[in-house]
C-alpha cells in the first residue's frame, strides 16, 4: 500500500462527514466563543492518540496483556451508549454534559475521531511494514488534516440544515451508529473466540 492509498483509507475510517452531526450536537451546548478552541483541542488530542497507537499501539497492548479485540469491544460499547443518547436526547446532548460544560477527550477525541477502527488500522499498518513509519505518519497526518478542516466548518452544515434538520440527521446517525457499534462489538467477540481466523 502506498502513502496516498493509506491516507485515503484512514480518512474514510475517520469518517468526518458522519461525525459532523455528533460534533455539532456536542458543540451546541458550549459557549460560542469557546467552540473553535474546544474543537481544535479535541482534534489535537485525537491526533496525539492516533500517533501514539501508530508507533506504540502493539507494545501498549502487549504490556497491558490486552488483545486488539479489546479495543473493538470497548469502542463498540462506548459508541452504543452515545448512539442511544442521540436517538433519545437528554439534557447536555450526546456527551451527557451540563449546559456549557466542555467535553474533554471523551467522546470527541475518543471514540469519535480516534475510534477503535482507526486505532486497529494504525496498529495493523505498523505491524505490516514497520520500516515505512514515515510514510504511515504522513498518511495519518494528511487524513487527519483533511478531516479537521471538514469538522472545523461544521457551522456551514449547521446553517444549511437548520435546527430541525440537524436534529433529524442526529437521530438518523444515532440509528446508524447503533448498528456500527453492535458490529464492532460482535467483530471483537468473534475475533476473540476465533483467533485463528485473523
Amino acid at each position: 500500500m502506498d502513502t496516498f492509498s493509506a491516507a485515503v483509507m484512514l480518512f474514510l475510517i475517520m469518517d468526518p462527514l458522519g461525525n459532523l452531526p455528533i460534533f455539532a450536537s456536542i458543540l451546541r451546548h458550549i459557549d460560542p466563543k469557546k467552540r473553535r478552541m474546544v474543537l481544535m483541542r479535541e482534534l489535537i488530542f485525537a491526533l496525539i492518540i492516533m500517533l501514539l497507537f501508530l508507533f506504540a499501539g502493539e507494545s501498549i497492548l502487549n504490556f497491558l496483556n490486552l488483545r486488539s479485540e479489546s479495543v473493538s469491544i470497548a469502542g463498540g460499547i462506548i459508541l452504543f451508549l452515545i448512539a442511544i443518547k442521540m436517538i433519545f436526547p437528554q439534557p447536555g446532548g450526546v456527551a451527557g454534559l451540563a449546559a456549557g460544560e466542555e467535553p474533554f477527550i471523551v467522546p470527541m477525541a475518543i471514540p469519535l475521531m480516534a475510534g477503535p477502527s482507526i486505532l486497529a488500522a494504525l496498529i495493523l499498518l505498523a505491524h505490516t511494514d514497520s520500516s515505512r513509519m514515515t510514510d504511515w505518519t504522513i498518511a495519518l497526518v494528511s487524513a487527519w488534516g483533511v478531516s479537521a478542516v471538514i469538522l472545523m466548518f461544521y457551522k456551514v452544515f449547521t446553517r444549511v440544515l437548520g435546527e430541525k434538520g440537524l436534529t433529524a440527521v442526529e437521530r438518523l446517525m444515532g440509528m446508524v451508529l447503533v448498528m456500527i457499534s453492535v458490529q464492532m462489538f460482535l467483530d471483537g467477540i468473534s475475533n476473540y473466540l476465533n483467533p485463528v481466523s485473523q
Side-chain angles (χ1 to χ4, degrees):
M1 182 180 290
D2 59 28
T3 306
F4 179 75
S5 298
V8 171
M9 178 191 73
L10 294 174
F11 172 78
L12 292 175
I13 295 174
M14 286 180 200
D15 190 21
L17 293 174
N19 283 332
L20 267 174
I22 312 172
F23 273 55
S25 175
I26 294 170
L27 292 170
R28 271 189 301 186
H29 300 274
I30 299 172
D31 182 352
K33 295 178 181 177
K34 295 183 178 179
R35 287 175 186 171
R36 190 169 291 275
M37 181 186 70
V38 170
L39 179 55
M40 183 51 70
R41 183 190 68 203
E42 297 302 305
L43 289 171
I44 291 171
F45 274 137
L47 178 61
I48 292 170
I49 292 160
M50 288 187 286
L51 286 170
L52 182 65
F53 266 79
L54 177 63
F55 284 93
E58 202 167 8
S59 300
I60 291 170
L61 293 180
N62 290 336
F63 176 76
L64 296 174
N65 198 27
L66 295 172
R67 292 172 55 168
S68 56
E69 293 85 354
S70 304
V71 180
S72 180
I73 294 170
I77 293 170
I78 293 171
L79 284 180
F80 182 81
L81 295 174
I82 292 170
I84 292 299
K85 289 183 179 180
M86 289 175 67
I87 299 169
F88 305 104
Q90 299 173 351
V94 297
L97 302 169
E101 187 180 349
E102 296 178 7
F104 189 74
I105 300 181
V106 176
M108 292 177 75
I110 302 175
L112 294 177
M113 190 70 176
S117 297
I118 192 76
L119 297 181
L122 291 170
I123 292 172
L124 183 62
L125 281 176
H127 182 73
T128 303
D129 193 348
S130 58
S131 66
R132 298 179 59 196
M133 295 305 290
T134 302
D135 291 342
W136 305 146
T137 303
I138 292 170
L140 172 59
V141 173
S142 300
W144 173 86
V146 176
S147 298
V149 169
I150 291 172
L151 291 168
M152 288 298 285
F153 287 96
Y154 78 95
K155 284 185 178 179
V156 175
F157 293 86
T158 303
R159 279 198 295 268
V160 171
L161 292 170
E163 197 73 21
K164 290 184 178 179
L166 194 61
T167 300
V169 171
E170 182 182 337
R171 291 185 180 177
L172 177 62
M173 288 306 301
M175 290 296 297
V176 174
L177 206 56
V178 165
M179 292 182 280
I180 293 173
S181 65
V182 170
Q183 189 62 55
M184 280 183 185
F185 183 83
L186 292 176
D187 287 346
I189 294 291
S190 175
N191 292 333
Y192 181 80
L193 296 176
N194 304 289
V196 179
S197 64
Q198 295 183 57

